[in-house]
């Protein structure tokens, strides 16, 4: 199949023989897989990052673990660069696949709004949450991932806290946190509905239960993220006069 055929198939949803194309279904599937992978990543990321709540040493040890310290003396920040590059590629690919579903013009957006008001359909509202948080994350997530890729050595209890507090990154993290937590869990809920996971004998009841669990997870993750952010801010505030100096573990001071 030529490149041109592929593009026509993508735009019209039909192949050369006038039959329904399978490309949109394949792209949909890829969007679900990449989305699920990223949701899983962020679920663990927020937990790892909340290690600061157990103290500076806990966060420092975890950072060094990710830098491969058990195998490489002193750790290697380039491991973080590589990891961030993989996540960034997945993130961009997922956003690219999602762009197919964005309203293409203001007119199309107005039509969508009228439809939304008329139906007040919950799943249509969820779709709206997905495109607005996805749009915000496209910018905020890119800023964050770029910093992690280019300055992987500047991660740690003091380095992260200085960035968050003294470098004024906290408003960006606050917006990113709310967007990513909503986007990830609403996305997982939509996958549950779309692919009929856990439908069982009583799909209605199970979907209601899934919705409740997702709401609880959103609240829990927002709470963990906000408390961690506040903790970094407190450390950054106390560390202002020593801005730029790095954390050294007590025993080896
Ligand atoms: C391998 C890739 C990533 C690495 C190494 C990484 C690392 C970090 C680190 C070290 C922090 C603490 C703050 C700082 O040092 O600046 C942080 C915070 C944060 N990251 Fe990431 N991150 C990655 C990917 C992502 C992605 C893809 C997202 C979402 C799109 C994300 C969302 C956040 C949020 C929302 C916070 C603040 C959390 C809070 O408020 O508690 N991160 N990240």
């Amino acid at each position: 199949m030529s490149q041109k055929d592929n593009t026509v198939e993508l735009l019209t949803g039909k192949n050369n023989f006038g039959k329904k194309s399978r490309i949109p279904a394949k792209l949909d599937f890829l969007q679900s897989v990449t989305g699920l992978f990223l949701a899983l990543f962020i679920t663990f990321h927020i937990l790892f990052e909340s290690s600061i709540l157990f103290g500076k040493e806990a966060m420092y040890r975890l950072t060094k673990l990710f830098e491969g310290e058990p195998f490489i003396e002193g750790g290697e920040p380039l491991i973080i660069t590589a990891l961030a590059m993989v996540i960034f590629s997945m993130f961009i690919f997922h956003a690219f696949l999602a762009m197919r579903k964005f309203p293409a013009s203001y007119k199309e957006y107005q039509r969508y709004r009228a439809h939304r008001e008329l139906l007040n359909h919950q799943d249509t509202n969820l779709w709206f949450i997905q495109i607005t948080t996805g749009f915000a994350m496209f910018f905020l997530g890119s800023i964050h991932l770029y910093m992690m890729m280019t300055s992987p050595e500047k991660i740690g209890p003091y380095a992260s806290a200085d960035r968050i507090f003294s470098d004024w990154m906290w408003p960006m993290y606050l917006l990113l946190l709310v967007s990513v937590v909503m986007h990830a869990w609403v996305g997982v809920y939509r996958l549950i509905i779309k692919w009929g996971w856990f439908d069982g004998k009583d799909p209605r009841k199970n979907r209601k239960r899934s919705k409740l669990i997702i709401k609880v997870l959103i609240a829990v993750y927002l709470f963990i993220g906000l408390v961690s952010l506040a903790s970094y801010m407190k450390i950054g505030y106390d560390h202002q006069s020593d801005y730029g100096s790095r954390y050294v573990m007590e025993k080896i001071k």
Side-chain angles (χ1 to χ4, degrees):
M1 196 189 285
S2 71
Q3 181 78 30
K4 194 174 151 218
D5 290 342
N6 259 336
T7 314
V8 169
E9 218 176 306
L10 204 66
L11 291 174
T12 62
K14 293 207 169 133
N15 64 19
N16 271 350
F17 311 103
K19 285 203 177 141
K20 241 181 150 191
S21 164
R22 291 170 70 172
I23 292 183
K26 282 184 190 160
L27 295 181
D28 245 25
F29 179 70
L30 274 177
Q31 194 181 343
S32 299
V33 173
T34 50
L36 192 62
F37 173 87
L38 287 167
L40 243 145
F41 168 81
I42 208 70
T43 304
F44 284 102
H45 175 357
I46 292 179
L47 292 181
F48 289 146
E49 201 242 326
S50 70
S51 57
I52 197 71
L53 299 175
F54 297 96
K56 298 183 196 92
E57 186 177 327
M59 197 262 177
Y60 178 81
R61 279 180 183 275
L62 198 61
T63 306
K64 286 290 160 197
L65 192 69
F66 275 103
E67 287 178 5
E69 202 177 33
F71 313 102
I72 308 165
E73 219 195 306
E76 176 51 74
L78 277 178
I79 296 176
I80 305 296
T81 301
L83 180 66
M85 278 167 88
V86 172
I87 299 297
F88 205 11
S89 315
M90 191 75 89
F91 178 77
I92 297 290
F93 185 52
H94 180 75
F96 169 76
L97 291 171
M99 257 161 49
R100 297 172 298 143
K101 295 177 179 165
F102 265 51
S105 62
Y106 184 61
K107 230 178 181 172
E108 209 173 293
Y109 171 70
Q110 273 184 322
R111 226 178 296 142
Y112 157 72
R113 280 197 57 170
H115 182 78
R116 183 176 163 215
E117 270 157 34
L118 199 72
L119 291 176
N120 193 22
H121 189 258
Q122 277 218 334
D123 282 354
T124 321
N125 291 336
L126 288 185
W127 178 76
F128 188 68
I129 292 180
Q130 286 308 81
I131 59 163
T132 41
T133 51
F135 187 71
M137 273 167 60
F138 192 72
F139 300 100
L140 306 172
S142 298
I143 297 173
H144 176 48
L145 281 163
Y146 189 80
M147 285 190 310
M148 295 298 119
M149 274 189 314
T150 53
S151 310
E153 73 290 353
K154 285 191 194 144
I155 296 175
Y158 287 147
S160 296
D162 282 348
R163 177 170 34 246
I164 289 175
F165 185 79
S166 297
D167 294 349
W168 275 87
M169 274 295 162
W170 65 266
M172 197 281 294
Y173 278 126
L174 189 60
L175 291 175
L176 181 61
L177 177 71
V178 175
S179 305
V180 80
V181 169
M182 298 287 289
H183 194 91
W185 288 117
V186 168
V188 169
Y189 173 73
R190 280 165 58 95
L191 287 181
I192 293 173
I193 301 301
K194 183 170 182 168
W195 302 105
W197 300 337
F198 322 122
D199 265 1
K201 283 190 185 133
D202 191 347
R204 243 170 185 252
K205 195 173 141 205
N206 287 338
R207 283 175 185 200
K208 248 185 164 174
R209 194 164 43 195
S210 299
K211 188 171 262 180
L212 181 70
I213 294 173
I214 291 291
K215 279 185 184 165
V216 171
L217 284 169
I218 290 180
V220 169
Y221 269 84
L222 275 180
F223 179 74
I224 297 175
L226 288 173
V227 180
S228 310
L229 193 60
S231 174
Y232 280 112
M233 287 182 71
K234 165 85 173 65
I235 297 170
Y237 175 80
D238 293 340
H239 195 242
Q240 279 175 94
S241 55
D242 237 350
Y243 173 88
S245 73
R246 300 298 300 266
Y247 178 78
V248 184
M249 253 171 33
E250 293 293 331
K251 278 167 250 156
I252 51 173
K253 240 182 203 174

